[in-house]
Amino acid sequence: MTGERINDETRPELGKFLKDIRESRRMTLRDVERVTDGKVSNGYLSQLENGGIGKPSAVMLHRLSAVYAIDYGTLMERAGFVSEAEIPANRAATSVLGDLTPQEEQELLNYLTYMRSKNK
């Protein structure tokens, strides 16, 4: 995944969407922080919900999707990332890692090849 955005106008929609989801789960900002063991701070989430965070990371969106029990791809699309339909299937598993350098990507492929050879 390149991390490119489809449309920067989606950010305010994302914040409202996240706030609506959190409130529908009857969670406070501090509840989310507690459930994620501080990995999503209440301050960060507040800024994200209010449009103060311009580029939420894929990792943070993944954490929020787990807390809210919503589809990660939905959050990625609402954040303006390229939709999962446009991501090659072999890249979806690494999307939570963010942008990888070509060397990192090759190392992951080498490791996966090694692991698969052990399982045969």
Side-chain angles (χ1 to χ4, degrees), residues 19-36:
K19 186 173 185 174
D20 290 346
I21 293 285
R22 178 178 56 78
E23 289 176 344
S24 75
R25 305 293 193 265
R26 298 178 189 229
M27 296 180 81
T28 66
L29 294 168
R30 291 196 188 276
D31 289 337
V32 174
E33 182 176 46
R34 189 183 71 256
V35 169
T36 63

Side-chain angles (χ1 to χ4, degrees), residues 4 11 29 33-34 38 50 57 67 74 90-91 107 111:
E4 293 178 21
R11 280 182 268 152
L29 294 168
E33 182 176 46
R34 189 183 71 256
N50 292 305
S57 73
V67 170
T74 299
N90 63 344
R91 301 283 312 275
E107 289 298 319
Y111 181 71

Side-chain angles (χ1 to χ4, degrees), residues 13 19 24 31 54 57 69 76 96 103 117:
E13 285 182 21
K19 186 173 185 174
S24 75
D31 289 337
S57 73
M76 292 294 284
V96 297
Q103 182 180 357
S117 71

Side-chain angles (χ1 to χ4, degrees), residues 1-8 10-11 54-59 61 72 75-84 86-88 91-92 94-101 105:
M1 174 168 53
T2 64
E4 293 178 21
R5 306 285 170 157
I6 295 172
N7 181 353
D8 282 342
T10 60
R11 280 182 268 152
K55 274 181 108 173
S57 73
V59 171
L61 294 174
Y72 173 62
L75 284 185
M76 292 294 284
E77 288 180 35
R78 285 189 177 256
F81 284 98
V82 176
S83 72
E84 291 220 14
E86 297 171 350
I87 300 171
R91 301 283 312 275
T94 61
S95 63
V96 297
L97 300 174
D99 291 333
L100 298 174
T101 66
E105 191 171 309

